[in-house]
Amino acid sequence: SHVLVTAGPDGVELAATDMELSLRVPLEADVAEGGSVAIPRLAGDIVRTMSDGEVAVEHRANEGVTTVSGGRSSFSLNCMQAADFPELPGAAEGGALTIPTVDLVETAERVVKAASRDETRPVLTGVLVSHGPDGLTMVATDSYRLAVKRSSLEGTPAEVSEAIVPARALAELGRLAAATKADTTEIVIAGGQAQFRLGGVILTTRLIDGQFPDQRQLIPDTFEHEVVFDRGELGAVLARIAVLAQRNSPVRLAFDEGRVTISTISEQVGEGREEIPIAFAGEPMDVGFNVEFLRAGVESIDGDEVRFGVISPLRPGLLSGTDDDYRYLLMPIRLNA
């Protein structure tokens, strides 16, 4: 719950860790005297509310108080000695992979939403990151849905390297990219850790051990029907239907000749339905899905169209774009007659 502040000839470094993730951030500063101290995280909240201008941080060796002042404000905060702060990982050794930050972040953001939050299955709380001849591939699943995104990159290696990176580390990476505006990110995977370096900032995370599900065995090769939707229209319909859908109320997609009717029933609220004209031919078919999972998949598609592959009411559906290497597999919910 503290931030390690280290002052030296090159400025100041701020560092924090929760023993799974650690972060090092350089900060420009005029250092009158070097040293280290661990200050409470709420110091950031205090500084954020101060008037614009310089902020002074002062700590006397072996004392349990740090002074933070700026403008007419001054705060004395209880602190920890730097020696009591957990040891932070240093610079990872090994070959660094350099990736355009925008490609890395876009790939991660479209995949991490499918990762599980159930800590009883640690492997599914991570994202399988693979780098090889096909470029950069990320896969995440919570056993109800699966997201896969592949990005073509220059200078890809001949051999495939894989690691399971915690999803929350990749989510944090997106926030850091927005703050640093770094053009490229260096990745080093070694010693059970992954280290991301961008714009002087270093994010280190432990890797997750285990066997990740093979997405190639989970995604069907062919589908009985492939329906094309306007992404904006489908997203808007699902947003309206989701207002009525309760947590355990599935959204029903009733496919019929030339149309699909999207509906839900809530015992507490009522019923809603909306029809979309589509190019569908064949026997009528009703399929149920979790509406929020379905919306997340539609929102992750890049482009104006969504291709929806369906087989049967009891087989998973697949969302994809027209020319984008992203796939989102979604398990159905059994519907009542």
Side-chain angles (χ1 to χ4, degrees):
S1 61
H2 285 59
V3 175
L4 181 65
V5 181
T6 303
D10 299 327
V12 167
E13 180 187 74
L14 305 183
T17 182
D18 63 1
M19 307 307 291
E20 296 291 337
L21 297 181
S22 68
L23 189 63
R24 295 175 180 265
V25 180
L27 184 66
E28 292 183 2
D30 295 324
V31 179
E33 185 175 351
S36 299
V37 64
I39 64 176
R41 185 174 57 187
L42 60 80
D45 299 327
I46 292 173
V47 172
R48 196 175 292 116
T49 62
M50 287 181 173
S51 57
D52 292 341
E54 293 185 344
V55 174
V57 180
E58 183 179 1
H59 172 253
R60 299 183 185 279
N62 300 319
E63 290 188 358
V65 174
T66 296
T67 301
V68 179
S69 57
R72 299 179 181 178
S73 304
S74 180
F75 294 82
S76 295
L77 305 176
N78 296 334
C79 62
M80 294 171 50
Q81 299 303 311
D84 297 327
F85 198 82
E87 183 177 357
L88 293 165
E93 298 181 358
L97 170 66
T98 301
I99 296 177
T101 301
V102 64
D103 292 337
L104 179 63
V105 171
E106 184 204 16
T107 301
E109 286 180 344
R110 296 172 69 184
V111 167
V112 294
K113 61 185 66 178
S116 175
R117 298 180 183 179
D118 184 1
E119 296 293 340
T120 63
R121 304 181 68 185
V123 168
L124 300 188
T125 65
V127 175
L128 181 66
V129 179
S130 175
H131 186 249
D134 294 333
L136 175 69
T137 302
M138 293 190 187
V139 186
T141 180
D142 59 5
S143 76
Y144 301 105
R145 51 185 170 161
L146 179 144
V148 183
K149 176 69 173 73
R150 181 177 294 107
S151 300
S152 298
L153 300 175
E154 296 182 359
T156 53
E159 296 184 358
V160 176
S161 60
E162 293 184 341
I164 305 174
V165 179
R168 66 191 191 95
L170 294 176
E172 185 66 31
L173 188 65
R175 289 188 282 271
L176 294 176
T180 63
K181 296 179 172 58
D183 293 331
T184 59
T185 298
E186 290 186 346
I187 306 175
V188 178
I189 296 177
Q193 294 184 327
Q195 192 165 91
F196 301 87
R197 308 167 186 165
L198 61 168
V201 174
I202 301 176
L203 173 68
T204 305
T205 178
R206 290 183 181 178
L207 298 177
I208 299 174
D209 293 327
Q211 184 68 37
F212 200 85
D214 187 350
Q215 53 99 1
R216 292 167 296 185
Q217 296 180 358
L218 298 175
I219 298 178
D221 295 327
T222 60
F223 292 86
E224 189 73 21
H225 303 279
E226 186 176 74
V227 181
V228 179
F229 289 93
D230 178 276
R231 189 175 74 90
E233 181 182 22
L234 178 59
V237 171
L238 291 175
R240 290 190 287 270
I241 292 295
V243 175
L244 282 183
Q246 302 299 301
R247 185 170 186 176
N248 297 321
S249 301
V251 60
R252 179 187 295 261
L253 277 65
F255 293 94
D256 205 344
E257 194 77 25
R259 65 182 180 182
V260 61
T261 302
I262 302 176
S263 64
T264 190
I265 298 175
S266 169
E267 294 182 359
Q268 290 78 23
V269 182
E271 179 179 352
R273 63 178 60 245
E274 195 158 343
E275 187 177 293
I276 300 178
I278 57 169
F280 180 88
E283 292 295 322
M285 177 172 56
D286 290 7
V287 188
F289 294 103
N290 177 299
V291 67
E292 293 302 333
F293 288 176
L294 183 56
R295 285 182 67 191
V298 172
E299 292 170 357
S300 298
I301 300 297
D302 191 20
D304 296 330
E305 292 184 345
V306 174
R307 296 186 180 275
F308 195 3
V310 290
I311 300 175
S312 74
L314 300 180
R315 298 288 302 278
L318 182 69
L319 299 177
S320 61
T322 53
D323 53 4
D324 183 36
D325 209 351
Y326 174 83
R327 290 170 293 171
Y328 185 91
L329 190 73
L330 184 59
M331 293 299 294
I333 296 176
R334 186 183 296 273
L335 295 169
N336 295 324

